Amino acid sequence: MKLIVPIVAIFLSTGCMLRSTPVVNSIDVSDVDWTNVDQMKHGSACATYLFGAIGIGGTTSLVRAVENAGITKVNSAGTRYKNWLIVSQSCVEVWGE
């Protein structure tokens, strides 16, 4: 019984873990017209994890996000994370033309 409590605590705490790979390439956004951001194409690629470590589907590929939206010129890219009790989702978001 004494061993069950620490094991359950470890599994519950891993749901809050995040893994992130930094974007190495930089995007020059100084010449982007941000007044019509609503007209930009938007794409995302998401991966879902169980307990923050076990991948259960998807990918967080920037290339996949660009392909999903049909973008030929990337203006901006970022990441988005969502966490639930035992499931988490990590997404790469791109905006462009």
Side-chain angles (χ1 to χ4, degrees):
M1 185 65 172
K2 291 181 182 180
L3 188 59
I4 292 175
V5 174
I7 290 174
V8 170
I10 289 170
F11 277 113
L12 290 178
S13 67
T14 58
C16 299
M17 291 174 41
L18 294 176
R19 290 188 317 266
S20 178
T21 304
V23 177
V24 178
N25 298 327
S26 62
I27 301 169
D28 182 18
V29 295
S30 61
D31 62 343
V32 176
D33 181 15
W34 294 103
T35 58
N36 50 345
V37 72
D38 294 333
Q39 297 173 358
M40 288 184 186
K41 293 181 181 178
H42 173 257
S44 62
C46 300
T48 306
Y49 300 96
L50 186 63
F51 297 114
I54 303 167
I56 57 175
T59 179
T60 56
S61 166
L62 181 67
V63 174
R64 181 65 51 95
V66 168
E67 288 174 348
N68 288 345
I71 294 174
T72 56
K73 179 183 176 190
V74 175
N75 291 337
S76 181
T79 55
R80 173 176 48 92
Y81 301 101
K82 290 183 179 179
N83 292 302
W84 298 280
L85 184 60
I86 61 172
V87 179
S88 61
Q89 185 179 54
S90 171
C91 298
V92 171
E93 306 276 336
V94 291
W95 292 265
E97 301 170 12

